[in-house]
Amino acid sequence: MKIARFSRLGFILAAAGSAVGLGNIWKFPYIAGEYGGGAFVLVYLLTVLLIGFSIMIAEMLIGYLGRKDGVTSFEDLAPRNKALWKFGGFQGLAGLFIMIFYSVVIGWIFHYIVTSLSHLPSSVEEAESTFNTMLHSDVWTQLFYHTLAFIWITYVLTRGIKGGIEKMNLVLMPTLMIILLGMFAYAVSLDAFSRAVDFMFSPDWSKIDSDAFVTAVGHAFFTLSLGMGAILTYSASMEKGSNLVTNAFWVVFLDTSIAIVAGLMLFTFLYQYGSGPAKGPGLVFISLPAAFYEMGVIGNVFAVLFFLALAFAGLTSSVSLVEPMVQYFIDRFRWSRLRASVSMGLFFYLIGIVALLSNIDGYKEALTWGDKNFFDWVDHITAAIMLPAGGLVMALFVGFSIEKQRVEAALRPQLGIAFDAWYFSLRYITPVAMFIVMLSLMKVI
Ligand code: PFF
């Protein structure tokens, strides 16, 4: 069987497509708003730089050397304790769990593309009641668009690495960047731009408690798609002779700049036309549409383009969330791609319906435990626990299990003298930092 491989550009765009997602445009601005901006953004940026980048290289290396699904790659590469290390690959399950709520949110976005064409809410109150009605009582609209998201994602997966994933990313990622940059240029021309810069970059350290810290670190993993085998699985189809460090750099660079661009743009719009940085998941669905309304006709155009870009970001990430388990069933159980894609698709689709219902009045009560409903629990457990834990496993695996000569042979030529610093950070700094996060997590949950 001929093995499909990404082209060089195809790989970078697919991995960046995985990284750039709802996390960048939907989640990042609202959690930054929730934790007061500046200080939170700085913790997040530092994590990306100091920990994220080195784990990105490590995760790429596992895929690149392993050439198989996550479980098999871990198993093949581990010189000892294969049966134990193989569990590192089951992190791929986290992707399916994330898809449970991710697909529902993509559904909301589809719905907003359609409604923004003809109508924008004339006030935050109207926007809030529109969003809340959809969220808490409109099962059918949500179900319809969740189904559409499921069909799209599953279809692309059935087409495989080249004809599905690469092709989609080659079209959607550049389009997304053009849309965002165009809207960003407009934001820069507005008076409120400097207030947005101020909000995002002047730190108020009093806002940072252990909860904010854990959220920032968890988000760094989530946004870079680290710790669950998406990057690993894509890297298994990287061209031979690729430069992992340059690839990792591009992915981290694109992901971080798109988050910053989106954040600055949204906060500018919210300062200029709305009520300032809003908090909570409703930011792009409530405050933003009301701000678009204030812009006049151009607001409708912007709204449609914005939600399109958001949908593109979400869809390109979704396929990478499901692909690790698809690849697992293909490699380990010789399932056909069709069967693996449809089965995994159905998994997140059906449980996604439970997540959707956990926001609906009448069902909500039965699907809420403690302070979170099922939807929020899945989000919290995956982003704050599973991904950082997965990242830690990858760092330890490359740092301690795979023979140093092997790692060095692959990466010294690319990293040069930085190799020693990278290796040291992977072995000691990253695990210690992750351990501290885990400890504060114990307090938080
Ligand atoms: N990075 C994606 C986002 O920011 O929305 C989400 C994600 C994709 C997380 C793939 C993890 C992953 F493996």
Side-chain angles (χ1 to χ4, degrees):
M1 195 174 65
K2 197 172 159 297
I3 298 171
R5 296 230 193 287
F6 286 114
S7 67
R8 184 171 141 68
L9 180 67
F11 176 80
I12 292 178
L13 287 184
S18 166
V20 176
L22 302 183
N24 302 60
I25 311 176
W26 166 62
K27 223 172 169 191
F28 173 66
Y30 90 72
I31 48 179
E34 216 153 64
Y35 292 107
F40 176 86
V41 175
L42 276 164
V43 175
Y44 151 77
L45 284 178
L46 278 178
T47 316
V48 166
L49 214 71
L50 298 180
I51 303 181
F53 185 45
S54 66
I55 297 191
M56 175 74 72
I57 298 177
E59 187 167 339
M60 281 187 180
L61 184 71
I62 303 174
Y64 181 75
L65 294 178
R67 299 267 128 194
K68 286 275 172 37
D69 69 284
V71 177
T72 316
S73 293
F74 266 95
E75 202 173 44
D76 286 352
L77 294 175
R80 284 174 302 278
N81 301 326
K82 287 182 184 291
L84 203 66
W85 278 116
K86 135 178 151 183
F87 283 96
F90 284 112
Q91 266 299 110
L93 280 171
L96 276 186
F97 295 159
I98 293 174
M99 275 311 291
I100 291 170
F101 70 90
Y102 214 80
S103 167
V104 177
V105 180
I106 294 181
W108 302 345
I109 299 165
F110 282 165
H111 176 54
Y112 270 69
I113 298 176
V114 175
T115 55
S116 306
L117 277 171
S118 55
H119 179 80
L120 287 173
S122 61
S123 64
V124 175
E125 291 70 40
E126 188 193 335
E128 192 161 8
S129 96
T130 311
F131 179 70
N132 284 333
T133 309
M134 177 199 74
L135 183 69
H136 298 306
S137 42
D138 194 347
V139 178
W140 294 110
T141 301
Q142 290 191 75
L143 190 60
F144 174 74
Y145 288 109
H146 171 57
T147 309
L148 220 59
F150 152 71
I151 294 173
W152 182 321
I153 295 157
T154 308
Y155 172 74
V156 174
L157 286 164
T158 62
R159 310 293 306 159
I161 290 281
K162 268 293 222 221
I165 298 176
E166 174 167 315
K167 208 164 164 186
M168 169 165 90
N169 278 289
L170 283 175
V171 178
L172 296 195
M173 285 307 286
T175 317
L176 172 147
M177 289 182 224
I178 293 169
I179 296 178
L180 284 184
L181 284 178
M183 289 174 66
F184 180 69
Y186 178 75
V188 174
S189 75
L190 298 173
D191 295 338
F193 183 70
S194 57
R195 287 180 69 192
V197 173
D198 204 44
F199 178 75
M200 277 202 22
F201 296 110
S202 6
D204 172 0
W205 294 107
S206 67
K207 295 257 172 52
I208 290 287
D209 53 12
S210 63
D211 188 17
F213 186 76
V214 170
T215 309
V217 177
H219 183 69
F221 277 85
F222 185 84
T223 188
L224 291 174
S225 299
L226 289 177
M228 58 135 280
I231 295 293
L232 185 162
T233 307
Y234 278 4
S235 303
S237 301
M238 213 193 277
E239 264 177 355
K240 280 257 180 279
S242 300
N243 188 320
L244 272 64
V245 179
T246 338
N247 284 352
F249 167 80
W250 274 110
V251 177
V252 172
F253 173 77
L254 285 172
D255 185 72
T256 312
S257 16
I258 289 180
I260 304 268
V261 162
L264 285 174
M265 171 186 94
L266 294 185
F267 290 129
T268 306
F269 289 164
L270 292 175
Y271 275 123
Q272 184 90 20
Y273 297 106
S275 44
K279 299 176 175 132
L283 188 146
V284 304
F285 296 106
I286 297 172
S287 328
L288 194 65
F292 281 138
Y293 173 84
E294 294 297 325
M295 288 184 192
V297 196
I298 196 179
N300 275 82
V301 180
F302 272 13
V304 173
L305 286 176
F306 173 79
F307 285 113
L308 261 182
L310 192 53
F312 291 171
L315 289 165
T316 49
S317 297
S318 298
V319 291
S320 80
L321 283 160
V322 190
E323 176 66 11
M325 288 319 281
V326 170
Q327 198 64 52
Y328 170 72
F329 280 100
I330 296 176
D331 284 350
R332 303 286 287 211
F333 297 97
R334 303 270 154 237
W335 282 16
S336 68
R337 184 163 264 282
L338 181 69
R339 178 176 173 197
S341 309
V342 174
S343 314
M344 297 306 110
L346 282 173
F347 177 90
F348 79 73
Y349 175 66
L350 295 175
I351 306 184
I353 296 178
V354 180
L356 187 162
L357 289 176
S358 77
N359 285 317
I360 299 283
D361 297 329
Y363 296 95
K364 191 163 42 197
E365 297 67 24
L367 295 168
T368 297
W369 301 275
D371 62 340
K372 292 182 180 53
N373 63 3
F374 180 64
F375 185 105
D376 293 338
W377 272 116
V378 178
D379 179 7
H380 183 73
I381 292 175
T382 48
I385 305 175
M386 295 185 83
L387 299 190
L392 179 59
V393 170
M394 305 217 180
L396 294 175
F397 185 60
V398 176
F400 292 99
S401 176
I402 307 183
E403 301 90 340
K404 184 172 180 193
Q405 306 88 291
R406 198 159 180 199
V407 177
E408 200 164 0
L411 289 177
R412 173 132 0 232
Q414 300 172 13
L415 277 163
I417 43 164
F419 175 84
D420 298 301
W422 170 80
Y423 198 62
F424 181 83
S425 134
L426 201 67
R427 293 184 103 177
Y428 304 108
I429 302 182
T430 305
V432 170
M434 299 310 296
F435 188 66
I436 296 174
V437 172
M438 297 283 168
L439 278 188
S440 32
L441 201 66
M442 307 286 174
K443 268 203 308 225
V444 176
I445 54 169

